């Protein structure tokens, strides 16, 4: 056992990632100078604590894809381990709360989607408020949702679905992975805009919902492009419309809801990175810069585009304003539709 030499502490400070505050670097140096190090080769070694990227949903979801693209590249840039950890449950609230309760030191970050603010409107008794208890760090991407149906319905357009729903209110149904998910809230916005009653069938996750949709047990569903694309191409599902302001390059023949004459239904999902409240502004800015550089690489652009997601960048302040606007939008919908939590 040997004490770290002062020169090694100085080297450690010079190699500290730029987003750490000066105060933390000084405290870290003091702590390191007092800690004994174990080395089998006779040389002192340090291992930086890993950064955790908490994903509050299951592997394979859009959020998980974002986190697993960011993780290795962020690790290389910061010269620190970065671990993606899925903490699922309660429509994302379990993983989110874990980040909210974490120390604001940059070691624990949340990768989330606009479900975050949907849950805020649906569950006012949550133990945290995402607008007050989290710090927006970086917008990473946008994802589009496609309105699809089973071929047996015979519907070819979103108008066909609306006409069927108006002819038999409540008889038509739709699936979602659960109350408060983007899939659920998107269809509720569609219903509110088209002024129709379509029965909601909530499932516990996307996989069982899609299974029953493919089997014809449910009639329709909003799905992310990366989930719907293969089934539409194979003919097992029919794409009726896309819930965005413009058509998507992966499905150029699918019109927007507005182009079908049913009104503006923009249900695009934003994805982004958050930190616990209190993370120093210089660390937020440093992380934002590193993440924006990663998002600008051709590798990430290609990985995202094949999944129907579009990289997006901006400042922490711009991301914060987006989150606030979206929270207001979905709160109005929850009230208008009388949506209740499960």
């Amino acid at each position: 056992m040997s004490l770290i030499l002062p020169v090694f502490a100085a080297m450690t400070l010079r190699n500290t990632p730029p987003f750490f505050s000066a105060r933390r670097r000084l405290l870290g140096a003091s702590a390191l100078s007092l800690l004994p190090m174990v080395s089998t080769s006779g040389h002192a070694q340090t291992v930086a604590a890993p950064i955790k990227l908490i994903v509050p949903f299951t592997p394979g979801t859009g959020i998980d894809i974002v986190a697993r693209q960011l993780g290795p590249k962020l690790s290389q840039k910061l010269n620190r381990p970065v671990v993606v950890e899925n903490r699922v449950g309660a429509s994302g609230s379990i993983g989110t709360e874990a980040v909210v309760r974490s120390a604001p030191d940059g070691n624990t970050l949340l990768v989330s989607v606009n479900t975050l603010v949907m849950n805020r409107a649906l569950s006012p008794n949550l133990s945290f408020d995402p607008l007050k208890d989290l710090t927006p760090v970086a917008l990473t991407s946008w994802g589009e949702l496609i309105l699809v149906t089973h071929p047996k319905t015979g519907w070819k357009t979103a108008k066909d679905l609306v006409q069927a729903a108006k002819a038999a209110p409540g008889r038509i149904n739709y699936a979602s992975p659960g109350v408060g998910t983007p899939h659920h809230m998107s269809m509720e916005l569609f219903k509110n805009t088209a002024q129709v009653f379509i029965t909601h069938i909530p499932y516990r996750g996307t996989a069982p919902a899609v299974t029953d949709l493919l089997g014809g047990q449910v009639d329709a569903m909003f799905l992310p492009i990366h989930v719907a694309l293969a089934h539409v191409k194979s003919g097992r599902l029919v794409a009726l419309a896309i819930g965005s302001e413009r058509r998507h390059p992966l499905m150029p023949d699918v019109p927007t809801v507005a182009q079908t004459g049913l009104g503006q239904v923009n249900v695009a999902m934003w994805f982004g990175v958050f930190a616990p409240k209190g993370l120093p502004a210089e660390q937020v800015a440093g992380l934002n810069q590193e993440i924006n550089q990663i998002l600008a690489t051709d590798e990430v652009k290609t990985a995202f585009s094949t999944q129907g997601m579009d990289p997006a960048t901006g400042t922490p302040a711009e991301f914060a304003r987006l989150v606030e606007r979206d929270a207001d939008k979905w709160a109005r919908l929850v009230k208008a539709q009388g949506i209740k939590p499960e």
Side-chain angles (χ1 to χ4, degrees), residues 10-329:
M11 291 172 62
T12 302
L13 288 181
R14 287 198 295 272
N15 293 329
T16 300
F19 61 83
F20 284 108
S21 66
R23 180 172 181 271
R24 187 170 183 224
R25 289 198 300 269
L26 290 174
L27 290 174
S30 299
L32 283 173
S33 67
L34 297 175
L35 289 176
M37 304 298 294
V38 177
S39 172
T40 56
S41 62
H43 298 287
Q45 298 176 354
T46 59
V47 179
I51 295 175
K52 290 184 180 180
L53 297 182
I54 302 296
V55 176
F57 291 94
T58 54
T61 57
I63 314 169
D64 189 66
I65 291 169
V66 169
R68 294 184 189 280
Q69 281 296 316
L70 287 181
K73 298 169 183 61
L74 198 58
S75 176
Q76 292 172 4
K77 290 179 73 65
L78 302 180
N79 196 28
R80 292 182 62 187
V82 177
V83 178
V84 176
E85 184 175 319
N86 297 86
R87 293 198 189 183
V88 305
S91 295
S93 294
I94 290 177
T96 302
E97 184 170 14
V99 176
V100 167
R101 305 303 175 205
S102 297
D105 55 11
N107 290 337
T108 306
L109 302 172
L110 174 72
V111 184
S112 196
V113 67
N114 56 354
T115 304
L116 187 67
V117 292
M118 295 174 179
N119 284 339
R120 178 178 184 266
L122 274 171
S123 305
N125 294 324
L126 283 173
S127 61
F128 61 89
D129 184 337
L131 296 187
K132 297 178 181 178
D133 298 327
L134 289 170
T135 299
V137 173
L139 173 69
T140 62
S141 50
W142 288 92
E144 311 296 350
L145 288 162
I146 300 288
L147 178 60
V148 295
T149 186
H150 190 276
K152 78 171 188 178
T153 65
W155 306 328
K156 302 300 182 183
T157 68
K159 266 193 171 180
D160 294 339
L161 166 57
V162 169
Q163 290 172 354
K166 287 184 174 180
R171 186 173 63 82
I172 306 301
N173 59 41
Y174 77 94
S176 85
V179 173
T181 58
H183 318 61
H184 169 221
M185 301 293 274
S186 297
M187 184 62 91
E188 290 300 315
L189 182 59
F190 177 83
K191 288 165 55 178
N192 183 268
T193 304
Q195 290 297 293
V196 292
F197 173 36
I198 304 174
T199 300
H200 179 211
I201 310 295
Y203 287 77
R204 293 188 178 278
T206 302
V210 172
T211 296
D212 277 5
L213 180 64
L214 291 171
Q217 281 78 42
V218 287
D219 300 314
M221 186 176 184
F222 265 104
L223 281 175
I225 287 182
H226 77 276
V227 177
L229 186 60
H231 300 306
V232 171
K233 285 186 173 181
S234 69
R236 300 182 70 191
L237 292 177
V238 177
L240 302 177
I242 183 171
S244 66
E245 295 179 348
R246 60 186 63 87
R247 299 188 186 211
H248 197 278
L250 289 178
M251 305 180 82
D253 296 331
V254 180
T256 68
V257 174
Q259 287 173 339
T260 67
L262 295 174
Q264 185 60 254
V265 179
N266 184 359
V267 294
M269 302 179 295
W270 50 256
F271 299 85
V273 178
F274 296 81
K277 178 183 177 181
L279 184 68
E282 63 269 25
Q283 286 184 252
V284 174
L287 280 168
N288 176 270
Q289 181 179 2
E290 300 289 2
I291 292 171
N292 284 346
Q293 290 174 359
I294 291 170
L295 295 170
T297 64
D298 290 338
E299 181 183 353
V300 171
K301 288 179 180 178
T302 299
F304 278 13
S305 64
T306 58
Q307 298 295 331
M309 290 188 292
D310 302 307
T313 58
T315 67
E318 290 169 339
F319 185 32
R321 288 193 291 271
L322 168 64
V323 173
E324 290 172 0
R325 289 196 304 270
D326 215 38
D328 183 60
K329 167 186 173 179

